Amino acid sequence: MGEPGTRRPRPAWLVLLVVVTTQLIIGLDATVVNVALPRIRSSLHFSTSSLSWVFDAYTLAYAGLLLLGGRSGDIFGRRRVLAAGIALFTVASVVAGFAVAPWMLLAARAVQGVGAAFAGPGTLSMITVTYREGPARNRALAIFSMSISSAFAVGLLLGGALTDAFGWRAVFFVTVPIGAVMMYLIPTVLPESDRHPGHLDVPAALMSTFAIGGLAFSFIHASEHGWGTLATLGPLVGGLLLLGAFFGSERRSAQPLLPLEVFADRNRAVAYTCMACFPAGNLGMIFFLTQYFQRVRDYSPLHTGLAFLPMALLMASMTRITPRLLARAGVLPMVLAGSGSITAALLLLTRLSLRSDYWTTAFPSMVLLGVGLGLAFLPLNTVILSGVPARVAGVAAGTLQVMQNVGITLGLAIFVTIYGAIGVGAGDAAGVLHATRYTFLIGAVFPFTGFLLSAALLRVPRPAAVPTPVPVGIVEAS
């Protein structure tokens, strides 16, 4: 693929186009699959609890290997690792589209997560080496950030339209031709970075991945088989032991994947906790509200995607408003307003009924969620990146994404446990509604926890130092 400096530089706009498209593929996958979940459930005979692994298999692999992916780019070259990651992601998408059994789909989803973990960290770094610091780089970062928010909205609509027109397999095939083009353009267009000798701590990455996986599996298994079985308690104990071993290994390592010093600052530790709590409540809501729309209200997949659109559009539009609000109000008021709005949205969803009108219950919740997430994420980004030592700045940004995906994985596993414990029975509409409402009630605990922690512990001087934020979903390798 060539070494640094051996080929003529490509136009900056072309580099940006390739990078944005690559990130769009990764971001699109998170939501395009969501609307198709009920069809996947009936086609491959998933149970409600095992269906959650269609989400968790991806987020678990992505979260567990994200820092390893960033470190690999430092050692082997970011373009090379980015190209390998997108190739793996594309091949896994093909396998997922042809899946004929649950295990086959879940394995493909896990491999997609691995590919995304190795592709994602290199995307932002390509912007930083292509554009000089200043207005040009800021414009490129704004386009980059907007592409991530747009992927959320496009994924919901595209997933619904494809599932209605061609069936659920189309949601996996849709990224394949784009991925194939990127497999050609990445080594052709993008510059290669210098390589930095170092150590890949693969055992630590595997320990963290299997630790979170064990905890998630125990919660999900308990929803169907109870807590008294060895198959539930074994992964729980094993996950906790592996988690302890991981932190012990990182404390002793000369080149840790996760330097514990990033948690030493109290404000940053609180922000990381909130970054786990807020996506946990949001993605859990999307998962179960999709079941409600299609299994209780008999919405089509496209109708379901349209129902989520207000939230997605508001999240995207808030990226233009929140910087000005942050300069005026400061960090704490915005985090409190955002977490309070997310909590209120989940509590409002507990009022859903068999005949709820979308415009009086679901729509206001979508508005509250879109505004709440838009308000909260930027100030939390600034807290995490402000004052971080330069040698761990990339890791601090990467840890942000790890916390988000760990929150999604464990949060959804806990929601599934609650959902199953309430007793959906045969899965009739009334049973689904009953379990869904209580799941939203418990789910509100996550953002409310973030609200309480922020109110009690978050102390950011005003005006806050506001660096150029790393867009949500992106990691710059350190």
Side-chain angles (χ1 to χ4, degrees):
M1 295 184 184
E3 298 300 326
T6 61
R7 85 174 74 201
R8 185 178 178 181
R10 301 296 184 180
W13 67 265
L14 185 57
V15 173
L16 181 62
L17 177 63
V18 172
V19 167
V20 166
T21 305
T22 301
Q23 185 57 43
L24 187 64
I25 296 173
I26 298 172
L28 193 67
D29 194 75
T31 54
V32 74
V33 176
N34 176 74
V35 180
L37 286 175
R39 297 281 181 89
I40 294 174
R41 180 180 185 271
S42 59
S43 176
L44 297 184
H45 308 293
F46 277 92
S47 65
T48 299
S49 59
S50 62
L51 185 66
S52 65
W53 280 106
V54 178
F55 258 129
D56 279 350
Y58 179 87
T59 57
L60 177 61
Y62 183 68
L65 299 176
L66 189 62
L67 294 177
L68 185 67
R71 188 72 177 136
S72 298
D74 290 342
I75 296 173
F76 301 112
R78 293 170 185 171
R79 185 188 67 198
R80 180 176 282 103
V81 173
L82 173 57
I86 207 66
L88 186 62
F89 182 92
T90 302
V91 172
S93 298
V94 175
V95 176
F98 283 116
V100 294
W103 69 266
M104 187 175 178
L105 178 59
L106 297 183
R109 288 289 285 164
V111 176
Q112 280 186 308
V114 175
F118 281 84
T123 52
L124 184 66
S125 65
M126 292 298 171
I127 293 179
T128 61
V129 300
T130 302
Y131 292 88
R132 294 181 180 179
E133 188 171 351
R137 181 184 291 184
N138 290 340
R139 284 194 297 271
L141 287 172
I143 294 171
F144 198 77
S145 182
M146 184 64 69
S147 74
I148 299 167
S149 300
S150 300
F152 189 89
V154 172
L156 291 169
L157 286 177
L158 190 60
L162 289 172
T163 304
D164 263 350
F166 305 107
W168 64 266
R169 298 180 188 277
V171 303
F172 296 106
F173 290 138
V174 67
T175 59
V176 172
I178 309 173
V181 173
M182 291 302 105
M183 288 166 61
Y184 168 76
L185 289 178
I186 288 171
T188 303
V189 172
L190 300 186
E192 183 58 286
S193 63
D194 294 326
R195 302 183 196 180
H196 304 281
H199 170 63
L200 275 183
D201 197 350
V202 177
L206 293 178
M207 276 193 290
S208 64
T209 303
F210 284 111
I212 301 302
L215 297 176
F217 180 86
S218 65
F219 281 114
I220 292 173
H221 191 271
S223 70
E224 291 186 339
H225 303 285
W227 286 100
T229 64
L230 182 62
T232 298
L233 295 177
L236 178 64
V237 174
L240 292 173
L241 291 176
L242 281 174
L243 202 59
F246 168 74
F247 283 112
S249 171
E250 295 300 274
R251 188 181 297 275
R252 297 187 300 270
S253 176
Q255 295 182 2
L257 283 176
L258 181 61
L260 300 183
E261 64 181 289
V262 300
F263 295 99
D265 179 79
R266 184 182 69 182
N267 287 330
R268 191 176 297 115
V270 171
Y272 277 137
T273 304
C274 290
M275 277 295 191
C277 287
F278 297 164
N282 183 44
L283 266 294
M285 178 278 298
I286 291 175
F287 180 87
F288 287 105
L289 197 55
T290 297
Q291 311 302 310
Y292 167 80
F293 282 146
Q294 296 191 33
R295 298 177 62 193
V296 176
R297 298 303 308 277
D298 200 29
Y299 282 15
S300 69
L302 179 57
H303 193 178
T304 302
L306 289 169
F308 284 112
L309 191 57
M311 176 181 65
L313 292 178
L314 278 168
M315 285 178 61
S317 62
M318 290 294 290
T319 61
R320 301 182 64 86
I321 301 172
T322 48
R324 293 193 292 271
L325 290 177
L326 183 59
R328 290 175 176 269
V331 168
L332 184 58
M334 288 187 66
V335 173
L336 293 180
S339 55
S341 182
I342 299 168
T343 304
L346 289 167
L347 291 175
L348 181 59
L349 288 172
T350 63
R351 300 179 57 192
L352 290 172
S353 69
L354 293 174
R355 294 181 175 82
S356 291
D357 179 64
Y358 171 81
W359 296 104
T360 58
T361 305
F363 176 74
S365 299
M366 297 294 174
V367 172
L368 287 170
L369 278 166
V371 171
L373 291 168
L375 287 174
F377 275 136
L378 177 60
L380 291 174
N381 263 311
T382 65
V383 171
I384 289 170
L385 296 177
S386 294
V388 66
R391 67 183 181 279
V392 293
V395 174
T399 303
L400 182 155
Q401 298 309 309
V402 172
M403 294 299 291
Q404 283 184 315
N405 285 278
V406 166
I408 291 168
T409 302
L410 292 183
L412 186 55
I414 292 170
F415 288 161
V416 169
T417 303
I418 297 166
Y419 191 88
I422 292 171
V424 181
D428 58 24
V432 171
L433 175 64
H434 177 70
T436 299
R437 290 173 61 179
Y438 277 94
T439 301
F440 288 146
L441 179 63
I442 303 300
V445 171
F446 285 88
F448 188 60
T449 298
F451 179 91
L452 293 178
L453 285 174
S454 300
L457 300 175
L458 195 60
R459 296 291 181 267
V460 181
R462 235 185 132 255
V466 184
T468 300
V470 173
V472 174
I474 303 305
V475 179
E476 180 175 8
S478 61

